[in-house]
Amino acid sequence: MRRADRLFEIVQILRRASGPLTADALAAELETSRRSVYRDIAALIGQRVPIRGEAGIGYVLERGFDMPPLMLTSDEVEAVVLGAQWVLVHADEGLARAAADVLAKVAAIVPEQLRGQIEDPAVITPPSWSERLDAGVDVARLRAWSLQGRKLHIRYADEGGRETARTVWPFLVGYMDRVRMLIAWCELRGDFRMFRTDRLAAIEFRDERYPERRAALRRRWLTIMSARRDAGATQNH
């Protein structure tokens, strides 16, 4: 790997890391020596890249730092194209328009030799074979209420068609091949629940904010889902 490429990769690795990374960890991922990583970190800091840390403890990239978008790799372009294709097919109209805009922006900024991977890609997402059953649901507004941490009052029908009225705290909207899910804390059940959007008989978008932070709800739900998955894997063994 050329040094310029390695410097860029170090920034990318630090950008996606959730905590400090040691020189050993960076060296292992880059398949280079720890001494080279020390030199590269020093060079990046010398170029005013906001990296904090020290040898033996780890390095972090300060938030807000950006790199020129023209340095996308071939695989990164294909990842963007494949993800945008999926969103165009499966997401709501607002996100589908955004995905088309992303592809247009990427095509405008990547080097000429990579543009063909957007205009004539080697990756594809299968089309949607059935109509959405939640056509009357404003999924874009559900996303907005989830981001803003505002309450919803819903009437929800279970598999047998029985309806219940609930006040929920939405924090995620899940997109799957055939169905979309609203993930929320349910005041009625005092627990997390997943609601199929095609079973939402009515939605009242309330201005009231719920008391917990959305990020905290999301972390708790992900922890519970991970524990359930691990327990299921253990039982299967």
Side-chain angles (χ1 to χ4, degrees):
M1 183 184 293
R2 294 180 309 161
R3 190 177 189 221
D5 293 334
R6 197 170 65 239
L7 294 178
F8 177 72
E9 283 301 313
I10 288 174
V11 172
Q12 294 298 88
I13 293 167
L14 292 175
R15 190 201 302 273
R16 68 172 183 259
S18 58
L21 287 179
T22 64
D24 285 333
L26 288 166
E29 182 155 352
L30 295 167
E31 298 181 349
T32 188
S33 68
R34 181 171 53 184
R35 181 174 297 180
S36 294
V37 169
Y38 288 148
R39 287 199 298 264
D40 292 341
I41 292 289
L44 287 167
I45 293 173
Q47 295 171 22
R48 298 187 179 180
V49 176
I51 295 174
R52 294 186 292 104
E54 58 186 66
I57 296 176
Y59 300 97
V60 295
L61 180 68
E62 291 183 3
R63 298 182 66 176
F65 177 73
D66 202 7
M67 292 283 283
L70 297 177
M71 299 181 72
L72 291 173
T73 67
S74 175
D75 284 347
E76 288 167 345
V77 170
E78 287 205 327
V80 170
V81 171
L82 185 60
Q85 285 179 353
W86 195 95
V87 172
L88 281 165
V89 172
H90 297 289
D92 57 84
E93 290 183 7
L95 283 184
R97 286 194 300 271
D101 290 343
V102 166
L103 285 178
K105 289 177 180 179
V106 173
I109 62 175
V110 297
E112 184 68 31
Q113 65 269 24
L114 294 179
R115 201 160 296 150
Q117 293 180 227
I118 300 173
E119 298 169 351
D120 186 19
V123 294
I124 191 169
T125 296
S128 178
W129 299 111
S130 59
E131 289 188 20
R132 290 284 180 191
L133 299 177
D134 61 355
V137 176
D138 191 343
V139 181
R141 200 173 183 192
L142 289 179
R143 288 193 284 108
W145 251 241
S146 298
L147 284 171
Q148 295 167 18
R150 297 183 186 275
K151 292 186 178 184
L152 299 169
H153 187 72
I154 63 173
R155 286 207 329 269
Y156 186 72
D158 64 16
E159 194 170 359
R162 295 178 295 273
E163 289 188 8
T164 53
R166 305 157 182 256
T167 297
V168 300
W169 307 352
F171 58 92
L172 281 176
V173 177
Y175 290 80
M176 284 157 267
D177 287 343
R178 295 185 179 276
V179 69
R180 292 184 279 232
M181 308 291 292
L182 176 69
I183 304 165
W185 175 265
C186 177
E187 291 185 359
L188 178 66
R189 304 303 185 198
D191 200 356
F192 293 106
R193 288 292 186 269
M194 296 171 62
F195 303 98
R196 285 177 51 146
T197 54
D198 59 320
R199 294 181 183 168
L200 292 171
I203 308 172
E204 178 188 338
F205 293 88
R206 295 185 170 176
D207 291 332
E208 181 185 0
R209 295 183 182 274
Y210 50 74
E212 284 206 54
R213 291 178 57 247
R214 173 182 172 269
L217 287 173
R218 180 177 179 274
R219 283 195 299 269
R220 282 169 52 201
W221 179 77
L222 288 172
T223 300
I224 291 170
M225 291 298 102
S226 178
R228 289 178 182 173
R229 184 175 60 248
D230 293 344
T234 301
Q235 289 175 0
N236 290 334
H237 284 300

